[in-house]
Amino acid sequence: MAVTIEIPPSDDVRWHGLLSGAVRPTYKCLALRILMIRLTHAYDRSDADRPALIEELRSFFRDNFRFARDDFETIFKGAAR
């Protein structure tokens, strides 16, 4: 049975917190750690396409949820600091 998960919309402020570095959870998923390094550096650039970066991160969670479930729950269930 497939699990359906509600990925927060792109206007959720938690995406900006993650990509700006204001929120820095400890990631268990190596692929997510690597992606976050690239996305946070890109997010800091003055010419950053921030909506596209948020969508890339949302897509990562949607496409890789079984690997990134723990990290998703930490971030979006209120445990991230």
Side-chain angles (χ1 to χ4, degrees):
M1 177 178 217
V3 175
T4 57
I5 185 68
E6 185 72 28
I7 305 292
S10 58
D11 62 352
D12 189 306
V13 297
R14 293 174 288 189
W15 296 118
H16 295 284
L18 286 170
L19 293 172
S20 70
V23 176
R24 293 184 178 264
T26 301
Y27 301 111
K28 293 180 180 180
C29 176
L30 178 60
L32 180 57
R33 276 189 259 167
I34 294 167
L35 177 64
M36 288 305 296
I37 290 168
R38 184 176 62 75
L39 293 180
T40 55
H41 283 102
Y43 192 87
D44 284 341
R45 294 176 49 133
S46 61
D47 63 344
D49 182 355
R50 291 181 173 162
L53 297 171
I54 290 169
E55 190 53 41
E56 185 174 350
L57 185 53
R58 289 182 77 238
S59 295
F60 175 85
F61 279 115
R62 183 180 54 248
D63 297 343
N64 300 286
F65 188 73
R66 70 182 179 140
F67 301 113
R69 173 187 301 239
D70 290 342
D71 294 320
F72 181 86
E73 290 178 356
T74 296
I75 295 162
F76 292 103
K77 303 295 184 190
R81 290 181 175 65

